[in-house]
Amino acid sequence: MKKPKVAFICVHNSCRSQIAEALGKYLAADVFESFSAGTETVPQINQDAVRLIKEIYQIDMEETQSSKLLSELPQVDIVITMGCNVNCPVIPCKYREDWGLDDPTGKEDAEFLKTIHLIHDNILNLSERISKNELLAK
């Protein structure tokens, strides 16, 4: 069975969705392929996110990722929206869920760490549900 493709989506594709893409690749590459994108892009990934992911996981997101538009995504099986507070973009997929995460941009490290830990746990949970075939078994 080929691995499902998961897209993590938020408006600017600079912080939460980038963290999710990085942690998806790091924690669950054996279960699913991770992508991220947004309805708009930014010149660089959120620098606090980059710094903290590097400190905690030794992953340099700037080396492996960049801010991307939805149109740059391959066809995906699962869409995870981060909690857009605006109309989340609609992308064709077999399964969709919203993680409802607040954007820590501009806040203190403690807020970023809270978000990173939530995403970490959510990735593990998602990976487990995909492994058990709970999401795409139709």
Side-chain angles (χ1 to χ4, degrees):
M1 189 185 108
K2 72 177 184 55
K3 291 189 281 191
K5 291 178 170 61
V6 178
F8 300 100
I9 308 295
C10 62
V11 176
H12 293 111
N13 189 219
S14 73
C15 189
R16 293 163 295 172
S17 54
Q18 291 284 353
I19 293 168
E21 179 183 352
L23 294 186
K25 288 175 177 171
Y26 180 71
L27 299 167
D30 56 326
V31 177
F32 61 84
E33 288 184 65
S34 297
F35 302 90
S36 70
T39 48
E40 302 164 30
T41 57
V42 291
Q44 66 180 148
I45 300 174
N46 182 293
Q47 292 299 290
D48 292 314
V50 169
R51 174 175 52 83
L52 291 167
I53 290 294
K54 202 180 278 185
E55 280 176 20
I56 301 167
Y57 300 97
Q58 287 74 56
I59 298 169
D60 186 349
M61 292 197 296
E62 288 185 309
E63 274 184 20
T64 55
Q65 293 168 220
S66 63
S67 186
K68 295 167 294 301
L69 289 171
L70 299 175
S71 57
E72 298 174 60
L73 286 173
Q75 188 171 354
V76 296
D77 302 295
I78 297 172
V79 169
I80 308 288
T81 49
M82 296 286 118
C84 301
N85 303 333
V86 292
N87 290 336
C88 275
V90 176
I91 301 169
C93 60
K94 296 179 182 129
Y95 177 82
R96 156 189 308 270
E97 70 183 36
D98 183 77
W99 286 357
L101 301 169
D102 290 329
D103 186 356
T105 298
K107 300 188 177 138
E108 295 178 8
D109 281 4
E111 284 301 309
F112 272 90
L113 293 170
K114 204 163 83 179
T115 301
I116 289 167
H117 292 303
L118 282 169
I119 292 172
H120 182 118
D121 292 346
N122 284 352
I123 294 278
L124 293 177
N125 176 274
L126 178 67
S127 176
E128 189 175 314
R129 288 183 293 148
I130 290 172
S131 293
K132 291 179 177 169
N133 215 10
E134 291 174 13
L135 303 185
L136 299 171
K138 285 200 170 68

